[in-house]
Amino acid sequence: MSVGSPYDVVVIGGGITGAGVARDLSLRGLSVLLLEKGDYGAGTTGASSWMIHGGPRYLEFDWDTTRLSCQDAGHIVSIARNLVYRVVFVIPVLAHDKNNIERMETAMEVYDRFQPLKKSHPHRRLTAQEALQVEPGLAPDLVGAVTMEEWGVDPHRLVFANIQDAVAHGASAFNHTRVTELIRDAGKVIGVRYQGPDGATAEARAKVVVNASGPWSPEVAAMAGARVELRPAKGIHIVYPHRISNFSISAESVDGRDLLMVSHAGFTLLGTTDDDFYGDLDSVDVVEDEVEYLLQAFERVFPAIRDYRPARTTTGVRPTLFKWRRYEDELSRRYAVLDHAGEGADGLISIVGGKLSMYRLMAEETSDAVCQKLGHRAPCETARRPLPGNESEVTPPGELAARCGIPALAAMKLQSRQGSNAEKVLDEGATSRILCRCEPVTEAELVYAARHEQVRSLADAFRRVGVAAGPCAGAACILRSAEVIGRELGWSAEQRFDAARDFVRRSWLGRAPVLGRSGWAQEELAQGALRGLMVADGTR
Ligand SMILES: Cc1cc2nc3c(=O)[nH]c(=O)nc-3n(C[C@H](O)[C@H](O)[C@H](O)COP(=O)(O)OP(=O)(O)OC[C@H]3O[C@@H](n4cnc5c(N)ncnc54)[C@H](O)[C@@H]3O)c2cc1C
């Protein structure tokens, strides 16, 4: 076992919270090591609804969360312009909804006070006729509707942009590296033991260890005999590989909760459930009942919902702060920075709770606490300093497409991930051939991700560049992607097939709960084709 060089801070967890903390502390001039046991953003962050929003729902019971989320969302959308886009909701009101149109409009009038903080527009009230004109798929018997504007974001790229910036300012960050132990010396936490992707173990000493491991934070705190109390709540989404409505839509569930169908750039997320979770955080399954609960609610407001074919489901566990008695969706989304010095674990700080929409603020407060402990004086810069790819204006996508010989859609998608660094990615020296027609990702981008973005598996590539995210779910591109990554990482032919098979098997778990009869048939064909290719190649 080797002992690495000492750091000022080790951050445990590469979700949005840990990535934000690593960036903030690096910009303040501290030496930082971040360790993530899976891939960046693969925990709760990637399973979110992909929204930077204020949460009008919280106005009823947690006013401050709405205000803080809106304030911080305003900062996030200006430092991450290439990653965000406006998401406009049409909120239909039906005759027997818990809120009639007057109550709904009053709520939106209150929310309008916060909208300027996050650079969003105020609501509009629509008659039933106007609502049906803009969104013909709505139930014809609606009473009226109100609009609401939020922001969409690719959380995987948002996490990675924070990691990139941290690394650019001197941090080290490793994915597929699990912290197995906190090293202690007479009641003080002085570092971590960890296991890397090759199974080798090592130690890193640090003056402060930050536990930013989301729903896993009680488990990590317990390594030092400290306590973090959460009330973890599971949420699922159904993913459609295209837009199925002009606008995002909300619906009331059978038990009166607010659900959302969010129209993102090229896909739709329908969610989400919110249920107390007591299971294994490393193995969270979606069950058909949860899917049915969501579809039942949306069928009322969007009657054709069952005609659309989902691609997969996602699921994650919210790291909600503990509170007895309240229903899950009424729990506060506040966060807490916990210094465990009083529990005999000086040197360990946990950041728990919160939301993606206020990750920057959470990181700022955590970094303030770390700096105070270290006697380090340096102001927080993250509210104004742009994330990588946002330092300058982007080339118009048509121009980039013509210059590099790629379709305009591929250029737009590349810029949405890389911003003004898109040209640098295409200049990587690899071909700009498109890997998959349904989700136009260039080979050059995948090569770049394998060389510079710590892509170590096809699942990492899915998160970093969107491989297999489109309607084919990988059927048309996964083997080619394995070839491209394999070339970069030195995989044998057998390892490439194993990687493809592993990806198909794992993504099947997320698809199974939404496969209809024809879906199962297609699944059999896709898996059979993969096996056939392996036999033809002589690998199996
Ligand atoms: C269904 C759902 C929808 C949501 N939608 C939204 C939304 O639209 N907008 C919003 O603002 N919020 C949303 N949220 C909340 C938001 O997603 C979370 O608050 C946020 O992503 C939590 O980020 P995190 O970094 O704290 O946790 P995570 O993303 O879970 O990151 C923690 C990381 O720590 C790593 N880790 C754990 N143990 C170890 C270890 N021993 N060693 C190394 N690494 C370790 C994990 O692998 C994980 O990657 C949603 C949540 C859910 C569940």
Side-chain angles (χ1 to χ4, degrees), residues 230-314:
L230 296 183
R231 186 156 156 207
K234 175 187 172 190
I236 76 144
H237 288 98
I238 304 173
V239 186
Y240 296 86
H242 34 64
R243 288 180 75 129
I244 57 181
S245 54
N246 294 328
F247 293 90
S248 299
I249 293 169
S250 79
E252 189 185 312
S253 67
V254 66
D255 54 355
R257 300 183 188 202
D258 295 317
L259 306 180
L260 303 175
M261 181 161 94
V262 191
S263 289
H264 287 286
F267 67 101
T268 303
L269 283 179
L270 193 151
T272 173
T273 54
D274 197 343
D275 296 309
D276 282 316
F277 183 76
Y278 301 92
D280 177 0
L281 287 168
D282 292 309
S283 171
V284 188
D285 293 330
V286 174
V287 296
E288 283 175 26
D289 277 4
E290 293 167 309
V291 170
E292 194 50 40
Y293 171 84
L294 297 178
L295 291 177
Q296 177 198 41
F298 276 94
E299 204 168 26
R300 256 177 96 238
V301 297
F302 197 80
I305 188 66
R306 289 182 197 269
D307 297 344
Y308 295 91
R309 191 155 141 212
R312 59 183 175 275
T313 57
T314 60

Coordinates of all heavy atoms in Angstrom, one line a residue, residues 230-314:
L230 N -30.4 10.8 7.6 CA -31.2 11.1 6.4 C -32.5 10.4 6.5 O -32.7 9.4 7.2 CB -30.4 10.7 5.2 CG -29.1 11.4 4.9 CD1 -28.6 10.8 3.5 CD2 -29.2 12.9 4.8
R231 N -33.4 10.9 5.6 CA -34.6 10.1 5.3 C -34.6 9.9 3.8 O -35.3 10.7 3.1 CB -35.9 10.9 5.8 CG -37.1 10.0 5.7 CD -38.2 10.4 6.6 NE -39.4 10.0 6.0 CZ -40.6 10.5 6.2 NH1 -40.7 11.6 7.0 NH2 -41.7 10.1 5.7
P232 N -33.9 8.9 3.3 CA -33.7 8.7 1.9 C -35.0 8.4 1.2 O -35.8 7.7 1.7 CB -32.7 7.6 1.8 CG -32.5 7.0 3.2 CD -33.2 7.9 4.1
A233 N -35.2 9.0 0.1 CA -36.5 8.8 -0.7 C -36.2 8.5 -2.1 O -35.5 9.2 -2.8 CB -37.3 10.0 -0.6
K234 N -36.7 7.4 -2.5 CA -36.5 6.9 -3.9 C -37.4 7.6 -4.9 O -38.6 7.8 -4.6 CB -36.8 5.4 -3.9 CG -36.7 4.7 -5.3 CD -37.1 3.3 -5.2 CE -37.3 2.7 -6.6 NZ -37.9 1.4 -6.5
G235 N -36.9 7.9 -6.1 CA -37.7 8.5 -7.2 C -37.4 7.8 -8.5 O -36.2 7.4 -8.7
I236 N -38.4 7.6 -9.3 CA -38.1 7.0 -10.6 C -38.6 7.9 -11.7 O -39.4 8.8 -11.5 CB -38.8 5.6 -10.8 CG1 -40.3 5.7 -11.1 CG2 -38.5 4.7 -9.6 CD1 -40.8 4.7 -12.0
H237 N -38.1 7.7 -12.9 CA -38.6 8.4 -14.1 C -38.8 7.3 -15.2 O -38.1 6.4 -15.3 CB -37.6 9.4 -14.7 CG -37.4 10.6 -13.9 ND1 -36.4 10.8 -13.0 CD2 -38.2 11.8 -13.8 CE1 -36.5 12.0 -12.4 NE2 -37.6 12.6 -12.9
I238 N -39.8 7.6 -16.1 CA -39.9 6.9 -17.4 C -39.2 7.8 -18.4 O -39.5 9.0 -18.5 CB -41.3 6.6 -17.8 CG1 -42.1 5.9 -16.6 CG2 -41.4 5.9 -19.1 CD1 -43.6 5.7 -16.9
V239 N -38.3 7.2 -19.2 CA -37.6 8.0 -20.2 C -38.2 7.7 -21.6 O -38.2 6.5 -22.0 CB -36.1 7.7 -20.2 CG1 -35.4 8.6 -21.2 CG2 -35.6 7.8 -18.8
Y240 N -38.6 8.7 -22.4 CA -39.0 8.5 -23.8 C -37.9 9.1 -24.6 O -37.4 10.2 -24.3 CB -40.3 9.2 -24.1 CG -41.5 8.7 -23.3 CD1 -41.8 9.1 -22.0 CD2 -42.3 7.7 -23.8 CE1 -42.8 8.6 -21.3 CE2 -43.3 7.2 -23.1 CZ -43.6 7.6 -21.8 OH -44.6 7.1 -21.1
P241 N -37.5 8.4 -25.7 CA -36.3 8.8 -26.4 C -36.5 10.0 -27.4 O -35.8 10.1 -28.4 CB -35.8 7.6 -27.1 CG -37.0 6.8 -27.4 CD -38.0 7.1 -26.2
H242 N -37.6 10.7 -27.2 CA -38.0 11.8 -28.0 C -38.9 12.7 -27.3 O -39.4 12.4 -26.2 CB -38.6 11.4 -29.4 CG -39.4 10.1 -29.2 ND1 -40.6 10.1 -28.4 CD2 -39.3 8.9 -29.6 CE1 -41.1 8.9 -28.4 NE2 -40.3 8.1 -29.1
R243 N -39.3 13.8 -27.9 CA -40.3 14.7 -27.2 C -41.7 14.2 -27.6 O -41.9 13.8 -28.8 CB -40.2 16.1 -27.7 CG -38.9 16.8 -27.2 CD -38.9 18.2 -27.7 NE -39.8 19.1 -27.1 CZ -39.5 20.2 -26.5 NH1 -38.3 20.7 -26.6 NH2 -40.5 21.0 -26.0
I244 N -42.6 14.1 -26.6 CA -43.9 13.7 -27.0 C -44.9 14.8 -26.8 O -46.1 14.5 -27.0 CB -44.3 12.4 -26.2 CG1 -44.2 12.6 -24.7 CG2 -43.4 11.2 -26.6 CD1 -44.6 11.3 -23.9
S245 N -44.5 15.9 -26.4 CA -45.4 17.1 -26.3 C -44.6 18.3 -26.7 O -43.4 18.3 -26.7 CB -45.9 17.2 -24.8 OG -44.8 17.2 -23.9
N246 N -45.3 19.4 -27.0 CA -44.7 20.6 -27.3 C -44.0 21.3 -26.1 O -43.0 21.9 -26.1 CB -45.6 21.6 -27.9 CG -46.2 21.2 -29.3 OD1 -45.4 20.5 -30.0 ND2 -47.4 21.5 -29.6
F247 N -44.8 21.1 -25.0 CA -44.4 21.8 -23.7 C -44.2 20.7 -22.6 O -44.8 19.6 -22.8 CB -45.4 22.8 -23.3 CG -45.4 24.0 -24.2 CD1 -46.2 24.0 -25.3 CD2 -44.5 25.1 -24.0 CE1 -46.3 25.1 -26.2 CE2 -44.5 26.1 -24.9 CZ -45.4 26.2 -26.0
S248 N -43.6 21.1 -21.5 CA -43.6 20.2 -20.4 C -45.0 20.3 -19.7 O -45.6 21.4 -19.8 CB -42.5 20.6 -19.4 OG -41.2 20.4 -20.1
I249 N -45.4 19.2 -19.0 CA -46.8 19.2 -18.5 C -46.7 18.7 -17.1 O -45.9 17.8 -16.8 CB -47.6 18.3 -19.4 CG1 -47.8 18.9 -20.8 CG2 -49.0 18.0 -18.8 CD1 -48.4 17.9 -21.8
S250 N -47.6 19.2 -16.2 CA -47.7 18.6 -14.9 C -49.0 17.8 -14.7 O -50.0 18.1 -15.5 CB -47.6 19.7 -13.8 OG -48.8 20.3 -13.7
A251 N -49.1 16.9 -13.8 CA -50.3 16.1 -13.5 C -50.4 15.8 -12.1 O -49.4 15.8 -11.4 CB -50.2 14.8 -14.3
E252 N -51.6 15.7 -11.6 CA -51.8 15.3 -10.2 C -52.0 13.8 -10.1 O -52.7 13.2 -10.9 CB -53.1 15.9 -9.7 CG -53.4 15.8 -8.3 CD -54.8 16.4 -7.9 OE1 -55.1 17.5 -8.3 OE2 -55.5 15.7 -7.2
S253 N -51.3 13.2 -9.1 CA -51.3 11.7 -9.0 C -52.5 11.3 -8.2 O -53.2 12.1 -7.6 CB -50.0 11.2 -8.3 OG -50.1 11.7 -7.0
V254 N -52.8 10.0 -8.1 CA -53.9 9.5 -7.4 C -54.0 9.9 -6.0 O -55.0 10.1 -5.4 CB -54.0 7.9 -7.6 CG1 -52.9 7.2 -6.9 CG2 -55.4 7.4 -7.1
D255 N -52.8 10.1 -5.4 CA -52.7 10.5 -4.0 C -52.4 12.0 -3.9 O -52.0 12.5 -2.8 CB -51.7 9.7 -3.2 CG -50.3 9.7 -3.8 OD1 -50.2 10.3 -4.9 OD2 -49.4 9.2 -3.2
G256 N -52.7 12.8 -4.9 CA -52.6 14.2 -4.9 C -51.3 14.9 -5.0 O -51.1 16.0 -4.8
R257 N -50.2 14.1 -5.4 CA -48.9 14.7 -5.5 C -48.7 15.2 -6.9 O -49.4 14.8 -7.9 CB -47.8 13.6 -5.3 CG -47.9 13.0 -3.9 CD -46.8 12.0 -3.7 NE -47.0 11.3 -2.4 CZ -46.1 10.7 -1.8 NH1 -44.8 10.7 -2.2 NH2 -46.3 10.0 -0.7
D258 N -47.8 16.2 -7.0 CA -47.6 16.8 -8.3 C -46.5 16.0 -9.1 O -45.4 15.9 -8.6 CB -47.1 18.3 -8.1 CG -48.2 19.1 -7.5 OD1 -49.3 19.0 -7.9 OD2 -47.9 19.9 -6.6
L259 N -46.8 15.6 -10.3 CA -45.9 14.9 -11.1 C -45.6 15.7 -12.4 O -46.4 16.6 -12.7 CB -46.5 13.6 -11.6 CG -47.0 12.6 -10.4 CD1 -47.5 11.4 -11.0 CD2 -45.8 12.3 -9.4
L260 N -44.4 15.5 -13.0 CA -44.0 16.3 -14.1 C -43.6 15.4 -15.4 O -43.0 14.4 -15.2 CB -42.8 17.1 -13.8 CG -43.0 18.1 -12.6 CD1 -41.6 18.7 -12.2 CD2 -44.0 19.1 -12.8
M261 N -44.0 15.9 -16.5 CA -43.5 15.3 -17.8 C -42.6 16.4 -18.4 O -43.2 17.4 -18.9 CB -44.7 14.9 -18.7 CG -44.2 14.3 -20.0 SD -45.6 13.4 -20.7 CE -46.2 14.7 -21.8
V262 N -41.3 16.2 -18.3 CA -40.4 17.3 -18.7 C -39.9 17.0 -20.1 O -39.2 16.0 -20.4 CB -39.2 17.4 -17.7 CG1 -38.4 18.7 -17.9 CG2 -39.7 17.3 -16.3
S263 N -40.1 18.0 -21.0 CA -39.6 17.9 -22.4 C -38.3 18.5 -22.4 O -38.1 19.7 -22.4 CB -40.5 18.7 -23.3 OG -41.8 18.0 -23.5
H264 N -37.3 17.6 -22.5 CA -35.9 18.1 -22.6 C -35.5 18.2 -24.1 O -36.4 18.0 -24.9 CB -34.9 17.2 -21.9 CG -35.0 17.3 -20.4 ND1 -34.5 18.3 -19.7 CD2 -35.6 16.5 -19.4 CE1 -34.7 18.2 -18.4 NE2 -35.4 17.1 -18.2
A265 N -34.3 18.6 -24.4 CA -33.9 18.9 -25.8 C -34.4 17.8 -26.7 O -35.2 18.0 -27.6 CB -32.4 19.1 -25.9
G266 N -34.0 16.5 -26.6 CA -34.4 15.5 -27.5 C -35.1 14.3 -26.9 O -35.2 13.2 -27.4
F267 N -35.5 14.4 -25.6 CA -36.1 13.3 -24.9 C -37.1 13.8 -23.9 O -37.1 15.0 -23.6 CB -35.0 12.4 -24.3 CG -34.3 13.0 -23.2 CD1 -34.6 12.7 -21.9 CD2 -33.3 13.9 -23.4 CE1 -33.9 13.3 -20.8 CE2 -32.6 14.5 -22.4 CZ -32.9 14.2 -21.1
T268 N -37.8 12.9 -23.3 CA -38.8 13.3 -22.3 C -38.6 12.5 -21.0 O -38.5 11.3 -21.1 CB -40.3 13.0 -22.8 OG1 -40.4 13.8 -24.1 CG2 -41.3 13.5 -21.9
L269 N -38.7 13.2 -19.9 CA -38.6 12.4 -18.6 C -40.0 12.6 -17.9 O -40.5 13.7 -17.7 CB -37.6 13.1 -17.7 CG -36.1 12.8 -17.9 CD1 -35.2 13.6 -16.9 CD2 -35.8 11.3 -17.8
L270 N -40.6 11.4 -17.6 CA -41.9 11.5 -16.9 C -41.7 11.0 -15.5 O -41.2 9.9 -15.2 CB -42.8 10.6 -17.7 CG -44.3 10.8 -17.3 CD1 -45.1 10.4 -18.6 CD2 -44.7 9.8 -16.2
G271 N -41.9 11.9 -14.5 CA -41.7 11.4 -13.1 C -42.4 12.4 -12.1 O -43.1 13.2 -12.6
T272 N -42.1 12.3 -11.0 CA -41.3 11.2 -10.3 C -42.0 10.8 -9.1 O -42.8 11.5 -8.5 CB -39.9 11.7 -10.0 OG1 -39.2 10.7 -9.2 CG2 -39.9 13.0 -9.2
T273 N -41.7 9.6 -8.7 CA -42.2 9.1 -7.4 C -41.4 9.6 -6.3 O -40.3 10.2 -6.5 CB -42.2 7.5 -7.4 OG1 -40.8 7.2 -7.7 CG2 -43.1 7.0 -8.5
D274 N -41.8 9.4 -5.1 CA -41.1 9.9 -3.9 C -41.4 9.0 -2.7 O -42.5 9.3 -2.0 CB -41.5 11.4 -3.7 CG -40.5 12.1 -2.8 OD1 -39.7 11.5 -2.1 OD2 -40.6 13.4 -2.7
D275 N -40.7 8.0 -2.5 CA -41.0 7.0 -1.5 C -39.9 6.7 -0.6 O -38.7 6.5 -1.0 CB -41.4 5.6 -2.2 CG -42.6 5.8 -3.1 OD1 -43.6 6.3 -2.6 OD2 -42.5 5.4 -4.3
D276 N -40.2 6.6 0.7 CA -39.1 6.2 1.7 C -38.4 5.0 1.2 O -39.0 4.0 0.7 CB -39.8 5.9 3.1 CG -40.2 7.2 3.8 OD1 -39.4 8.1 3.8 OD2 -41.3 7.3 4.4
F277 N -37.1 5.0 1.4 CA -36.3 3.9 0.9 C -35.4 3.3 2.0 O -34.7 4.0 2.7 CB -35.4 4.4 -0.3 CG -34.6 3.4 -0.9 CD1 -35.1 2.5 -1.8 CD2 -33.2 3.2 -0.6 CE1 -34.4 1.5 -2.4 CE2 -32.4 2.2 -1.2 CZ -33.0 1.3 -2.1
Y278 N -35.5 2.0 2.1 CA -34.8 1.3 3.2 C -33.8 0.2 2.6 O -33.2 -0.5 3.4 CB -35.7 0.6 4.2 CG -36.7 1.6 4.8 CD1 -37.9 1.8 4.3 CD2 -36.3 2.2 6.0 CE1 -38.8 2.7 4.9 CE2 -37.2 3.1 6.6 CZ -38.4 3.3 6.0 OH -39.3 4.2 6.6
G279 N -33.7 0.2 1.3 CA -33.0 -0.9 0.6 C -31.5 -0.7 0.4 O -30.9 0.2 1.1
D280 N -30.9 -1.4 -0.4 CA -29.5 -1.4 -0.8 C -29.3 -0.2 -1.8 O -29.8 -0.3 -2.9 CB -29.0 -2.7 -1.3 CG -27.6 -2.7 -1.8 OD1 -26.9 -1.6 -1.6 OD2 -27.1 -3.7 -2.3
L281 N -28.5 0.8 -1.4 CA -28.3 2.0 -2.3 C -27.6 1.6 -3.5 O -27.6 2.4 -4.5 CB -27.5 3.0 -1.5 CG -28.3 3.8 -0.4 CD1 -27.4 4.6 0.4 CD2 -29.4 4.7 -1.0
D282 N -26.9 0.5 -3.5 CA -26.1 0.1 -4.7 C -26.9 -0.8 -5.7 O -26.4 -1.2 -6.7 CB -24.8 -0.6 -4.3 CG -23.9 0.4 -3.6 OD1 -23.6 1.5 -4.2 OD2 -23.4 0.1 -2.5
S283 N -28.1 -1.0 -5.3 CA -29.0 -1.9 -6.2 C -30.4 -1.4 -6.1 O -31.2 -2.0 -5.3 CB -28.8 -3.3 -5.7 OG -29.6 -4.2 -6.4
V284 N -30.8 -0.4 -6.7 CA -32.1 0.2 -6.6 C -32.9 -0.2 -7.9 O -32.5 0.3 -9.0 CB -32.1 1.7 -6.4 CG1 -33.5 2.3 -6.1 CG2 -31.1 2.1 -5.3
D285 N -33.9 -1.0 -7.8 CA -34.7 -1.4 -8.9 C -36.0 -0.6 -9.1 O -36.5 -0.1 -8.2 CB -35.1 -2.9 -8.8 CG -34.0 -3.8 -8.8 OD1 -33.0 -3.5 -9.4 OD2 -34.0 -4.9 -8.1
V286 N -36.4 -0.5 -10.4 CA -37.7 0.1 -10.6 C -38.7 -1.0 -10.7 O -38.5 -2.1 -11.4 CB -37.7 0.9 -12.0 CG1 -39.0 1.4 -12.4 CG2 -36.7 2.0 -11.9
V287 N -39.9 -0.9 -10.1 CA -40.9 -1.9 -10.2 C -42.1 -1.4 -11.0 O -42.3 -0.2 -11.2 CB -41.4 -2.4 -8.8 CG1 -40.3 -3.1 -8.1 CG2 -42.0 -1.3 -8.0
E288 N -42.8 -2.4 -11.6 CA -43.9 -2.0 -12.6 C -45.0 -1.1 -11.9 O -45.6 -0.3 -12.5 CB -44.5 -3.2 -13.2 CG -43.5 -3.7 -14.3 CD -44.0 -5.0 -15.0 OE1 -45.2 -5.3 -15.0 OE2 -43.1 -5.7 -15.5
D289 N -45.2 -1.3 -10.6 CA -46.2 -0.5 -9.9 C -45.9 1.0 -10.0 O -46.7 1.8 -10.1 CB -46.2 -0.9 -8.4 CG -47.1 -2.1 -8.2 OD1 -47.5 -2.7 -9.2 OD2 -47.2 -2.5 -7.0
E290 N -44.6 1.3 -9.9 CA -44.2 2.7 -9.9 C -44.4 3.3 -11.3 O -44.9 4.4 -11.4 CB -42.7 2.8 -9.5 CG -42.4 2.4 -8.1 CD -40.9 2.2 -7.8 OE1 -40.2 1.5 -8.6 OE2 -40.4 2.8 -6.9
V291 N -44.2 2.5 -12.3 CA -44.4 2.9 -13.7 C -45.9 3.2 -13.9 O -46.3 4.2 -14.4 CB -43.9 1.9 -14.7 CG1 -44.3 2.2 -16.1 CG2 -42.4 1.8 -14.6
E292 N -46.7 2.3 -13.4 CA -48.2 2.4 -13.5 C -48.7 3.6 -12.8 O -49.6 4.3 -13.3 CB -48.8 1.1 -12.9 CG -50.2 0.9 -13.3 CD -50.5 1.0 -14.8 OE1 -49.7 0.6 -15.6 OE2 -51.6 1.6 -15.1
Y293 N -48.2 3.9 -11.6 CA -48.6 5.1 -10.8 C -48.4 6.4 -11.6 O -49.2 7.2 -11.7 CB -47.7 5.1 -9.6 CG -47.8 6.3 -8.7 CD1 -48.8 6.5 -7.7 CD2 -46.8 7.3 -8.8 CE1 -48.8 7.6 -6.9 CE2 -46.8 8.4 -7.9 CZ -47.9 8.6 -7.0 OH -47.9 9.7 -6.2
L294 N -47.2 6.4 -12.4 CA -47.0 7.6 -13.2 C -47.9 7.7 -14.4 O -48.5 8.7 -14.7 CB -45.5 7.6 -13.6 CG -44.4 7.7 -12.5 CD1 -43.0 7.7 -13.2 CD2 -44.6 9.0 -11.7
L295 N -48.0 6.5 -15.1 CA -48.9 6.5 -16.3 C -50.3 6.8 -16.0 O -51.0 7.6 -16.7 CB -48.8 5.2 -17.0 CG -47.4 4.9 -17.6 CD1 -47.4 3.5 -18.2 CD2 -47.0 5.9 -18.7
Q296 N -50.8 6.3 -14.8 CA -52.2 6.5 -14.4 C -52.5 8.0 -14.3 O -53.5 8.6 -14.7 CB -52.4 5.8 -13.1 CG -53.8 6.0 -12.5 CD -53.8 5.7 -11.0 OE1 -52.9 6.0 -10.3 NE2 -54.9 5.0 -10.6
A297 N -51.5 8.7 -13.7 CA -51.7 10.2 -13.4 C -51.7 10.9 -14.8 O -52.5 11.8 -15.0 CB -50.6 10.7 -12.5
F298 N -50.8 10.6 -15.7 CA -50.6 11.4 -16.9 C -51.7 11.0 -17.9 O -52.1 11.9 -18.7 CB -49.2 11.2 -17.5 CG -48.3 12.2 -16.9 CD1 -47.5 11.8 -15.8 CD2 -48.3 13.5 -17.3 CE1 -46.7 12.7 -15.1 CE2 -47.5 14.4 -16.6 CZ -46.7 14.0 -15.6
E299 N -52.3 9.8 -17.8 CA -53.4 9.5 -18.7 C -54.6 10.4 -18.5 O -55.3 10.7 -19.5 CB -53.8 8.0 -18.3 CG -54.5 7.3 -19.4 CD -54.6 5.8 -19.1 OE1 -54.6 5.5 -17.8 OE2 -54.7 5.0 -20.0
R300 N -54.8 10.9 -17.3 CA -55.9 11.9 -17.1 C -55.7 13.2 -17.9 O -56.6 13.7 -18.4 CB -55.9 12.3 -15.6 CG -57.0 11.6 -14.8 CD -56.9 12.0 -13.3 NE -57.7 13.1 -12.9 CZ -57.3 14.2 -12.4 NH1 -56.0 14.4 -12.2 NH2 -58.2 15.2 -12.1
V301 N -54.4 13.7 -17.9 CA -54.2 15.0 -18.5 C -53.7 14.9 -19.9 O -53.8 15.8 -20.7 CB -53.3 15.9 -17.7 CG1 -53.8 16.2 -16.3 CG2 -51.9 15.3 -17.6
F302 N -53.1 13.7 -20.3 CA -52.5 13.5 -21.6 C -52.9 12.1 -22.1 O -52.2 11.2 -21.9 CB -51.0 13.7 -21.4 CG -50.3 13.9 -22.7 CD1 -50.2 15.2 -23.3 CD2 -49.6 12.8 -23.4 CE1 -49.5 15.4 -24.5 CE2 -48.9 13.1 -24.6 CZ -48.9 14.3 -25.1
P303 N -54.2 12.0 -22.6 CA -54.8 10.7 -22.7 C -54.0 9.7 -23.6 O -54.1 8.5 -23.4 CB -56.1 11.0 -23.4 CG -56.4 12.4 -23.0 CD -55.1 13.1 -22.9
A304 N -53.2 10.2 -24.5 CA -52.5 9.2 -25.4 C -51.2 8.7 -24.9 O -50.4 8.0 -25.6 CB -52.2 9.9 -26.8
I305 N -50.9 9.0 -23.6 CA -49.5 8.7 -23.1 C -49.1 7.3 -23.3 O -48.0 7.0 -23.6 CB -49.4 9.1 -21.6 CG1 -48.0 9.0 -21.1 CG2 -50.3 8.3 -20.7 CD1 -47.0 9.9 -21.7
R306 N -50.1 6.3 -23.2 CA -49.7 4.9 -23.3 C -49.4 4.5 -24.7 O -48.9 3.4 -25.0 CB -50.8 4.0 -22.7 CG -50.9 4.1 -21.2 CD -52.0 3.1 -20.7 NE -52.3 3.5 -19.3 CZ -51.8 2.9 -18.2 NH1 -50.8 2.1 -18.4 NH2 -52.2 3.3 -17.0
D307 N -49.7 5.4 -25.7 CA -49.3 5.0 -27.1 C -47.8 5.2 -27.4 O -47.3 4.8 -28.4 CB -50.1 5.9 -28.1 CG -51.6 5.7 -28.0 OD1 -52.0 4.6 -27.4 OD2 -52.4 6.5 -28.4
Y308 N -47.2 6.0 -26.5 CA -45.8 6.2 -26.8 C -44.9 5.2 -26.1 O -45.2 4.7 -25.0 CB -45.4 7.6 -26.2 CG -46.1 8.7 -26.9 CD1 -47.3 9.2 -26.5 CD2 -45.6 9.2 -28.1 CE1 -48.0 10.2 -27.2 CE2 -46.2 10.2 -28.8 CZ -47.5 10.7 -28.4 OH -48.1 11.7 -29.0
R309 N -43.8 4.8 -26.8 CA -43.0 3.8 -26.3 C -41.8 4.3 -25.5 O -40.9 5.0 -26.1 CB -42.5 2.9 -27.5 CG -41.9 1.7 -27.0 CD -42.0 0.6 -28.1 NE -40.7 -0.1 -28.1 CZ -40.2 -0.6 -29.1 NH1 -40.7 -0.5 -30.3 NH2 -39.1 -1.3 -29.0
P310 N -41.7 4.0 -24.2 CA -40.5 4.4 -23.4 C -39.3 3.7 -23.8 O -39.4 2.6 -24.4 CB -40.9 4.1 -22.0 CG -42.3 3.6 -22.0 CD -42.6 3.2 -23.4
A311 N -38.1 4.3 -23.6 CA -36.8 3.6 -23.9 C -36.3 2.9 -22.6 O -35.7 1.9 -22.7 CB -35.8 4.7 -24.4
R312 N -36.5 3.5 -21.5 CA -35.9 3.0 -20.3 C -36.5 3.7 -19.0 O -37.3 4.6 -19.2 CB -34.4 3.1 -20.3 CG -33.9 4.5 -20.4 CD -32.4 4.6 -20.4 NE -31.9 5.9 -20.7 CZ -31.9 6.5 -21.9 NH1 -32.2 5.8 -22.9 NH2 -31.5 7.8 -22.0
T313 N -36.0 3.3 -17.9 CA -36.4 4.1 -16.6 C -35.1 4.5 -16.0 O -34.0 4.0 -16.3 CB -37.2 3.1 -15.7 OG1 -36.3 2.0 -15.4 CG2 -38.5 2.7 -16.2
T314 N -35.2 5.5 -15.1 CA -34.1 5.8 -14.2 C -34.5 5.8 -12.8 O -35.7 6.0 -12.5 CB -33.5 7.2 -14.5 OG1 -34.5 8.2 -14.3 CG2 -33.0 7.3 -16.0

